[in-house]
Amino acid sequence: MGIVYRAKQDRVKRDVALKVIHPKLVAPKLVDRFLNEISTLGKLEHSNLVRIYDADLHITDDRDRPGILFYTMQLVEGTPIHRYVRDEQLPIGGILELLIKICQAVHEAHEQRVIHRDLKPGNILVTSAGEPIILDFGLAALAGELIGWEEQGISGLSGTPSYMAPEQYLGSAEEFGDGQSIDVYALGVIAFELLDSEGRGAKVDKCLRKNPADRYWTVSGFAKALGRVLRRLSAEHQSVEAVWSPESGKAVPGTEWILERKIGQ
């Protein structure tokens, strides 16, 4: 569909990511709508959402091509969330904290009536500071419209199959309100993959129900449910430390095992 480049905004010396849509794929009559909706996305302000800076159409001398369409966004250097969790051996509490931040960011976009439609681990990078950043917000559907998927009758298929809600497969998302159910489902799949059975439970399973009406009505509701799990796990951890406070260089009571350092939870 396009190519992403690392680029520099010369005037302010800012590094950005620049995506060029392949000229042969651009449907001319949809360009204005695409640029207008990119402008809407650019107004989203949340620390866990990638920032959209600019979009434009460069007119060429070739009459057979509508022009070169591109947009620029925040350059995010990080690791896909599934790899980050694995490489850092993140405990359940840390995973829940990441998921809650992601849900809060998605909720902020939903408040502005922007749906992602393609949430997946590859679209969520975790920076060196441990902050998750969601990429391509709302752009999957926009790009699908731009290259004429609607005219081909397959507009409902913008997304990644493994993370698509049933209604997204069927192309019937409009039958279920504003489409938030699509993102709720995808977040449930991501959480299911990242968490073990202790952290997962019924809270995540509710996201994956076939009928959208049986899921959380909002991403915010899912975030609150994850928050309750996190608080419970934290309370259990504190109760263990209240019985015995481990200390490096000391032996586990009643054993010969000497603690060296904490390496996980």
Side-chain angles (χ1 to χ4, degrees):
M1 185 180 299
I3 303 174
V4 180
Y5 298 90
R6 183 185 183 117
K8 184 178 290 290
Q9 188 176 2
D10 190 53
R11 186 178 304 171
V12 296
K13 308 301 180 185
R14 174 170 58 185
D15 290 325
V16 301
L18 186 150
K19 184 163 188 175
V20 180
I21 305 296
H22 196 292
K24 291 185 178 180
L25 296 178
V26 177
K29 66 180 181 179
L30 294 173
V31 168
D32 287 342
R33 178 179 174 185
F34 185 85
L35 293 176
N36 287 336
E37 297 208 32
I38 284 284
S39 177
T40 299
L41 294 173
K43 296 175 184 177
L44 293 176
E45 293 188 9
H46 193 284
S47 60
N48 300 113
L49 294 179
V50 69
R51 290 296 308 274
I52 304 295
Y53 295 133
D54 192 17
D56 206 351
L57 177 69
H58 174 68
I59 304 299
T60 69
D61 295 329
D62 189 341
R63 293 184 178 181
D64 296 327
R65 295 182 179 182
I68 298 174
L69 185 66
F70 67 89
Y71 57 89
T72 60
M73 53 192 159
Q74 173 189 358
L75 179 65
V76 180
E77 296 183 299
T79 305
I81 189 169
H82 59 308
R83 282 175 43 198
Y84 179 85
V85 168
R86 180 197 65 199
D87 295 347
E88 297 295 322
Q89 297 184 335
L90 215 60
I92 295 175
I95 298 172
L96 287 169
E97 289 173 353
L98 284 178
L99 288 170
I100 290 169
K101 287 183 178 181
I102 292 165
C103 287
Q104 290 170 340
V106 174
H107 174 71
E108 178 69 21
H110 285 182
E111 288 289 287
Q112 304 301 319
R113 299 184 179 181
V114 177
I115 308 300
H116 193 291
R117 286 197 177 194
D118 194 21
L119 285 166
K120 56 186 177 183
N123 274 340
I124 304 171
L125 299 185
V126 184
T127 67
S128 58
E131 287 295 320
I133 307 293
I134 304 173
L135 310 180
D136 288 346
F137 212 109
L139 298 180
L142 287 180
E145 293 173 6
L146 181 70
I147 64 176
W149 283 353
E150 283 189 342
E151 296 175 0
Q152 300 173 45
I154 55 173
S155 61
L157 293 179
S158 58
T160 301
S162 299
Y163 300 89
M164 287 170 63
E167 66 271 23
Q168 195 174 2
Y169 262 117
L170 298 173
S172 57
E174 68 279 359
E175 298 178 11
F176 302 101
D178 53 14
Q180 292 187 33
S181 64
I182 288 174
D183 287 349
V184 170
Y185 185 93
L187 287 169
V189 177
I190 293 170
F192 188 92
E193 292 178 341
L194 296 179
L195 294 167
D196 61 17
S197 58
E198 181 182 8
R200 196 184 300 150
K203 308 297 184 184
V204 173
D205 291 346
K206 185 173 179 179
C207 292
L208 305 178
R209 294 177 182 173
K210 183 176 180 180
N211 187 341
D214 294 332
R215 299 177 205 146
Y216 296 100
W217 285 14
T218 65
V219 173
S220 177
F222 183 37
K224 291 176 181 177
L226 293 176
R228 289 192 290 271
V229 176
L230 179 59
R231 289 191 294 273
R232 175 178 61 78
L233 292 175
S234 297
E236 291 175 356
H237 179 68
Q238 290 171 2
S239 65
V240 170
E241 291 197 339
V243 175
W244 171 56
S245 182
E247 190 175 342
S248 297
K250 300 291 186 180
V252 177
T255 76
E256 60 182 31
W257 302 109
I258 306 297
L259 300 179
E260 294 184 352
R261 61 188 175 86
K262 185 174 180 179
I263 60 172
Q265 181 175 311

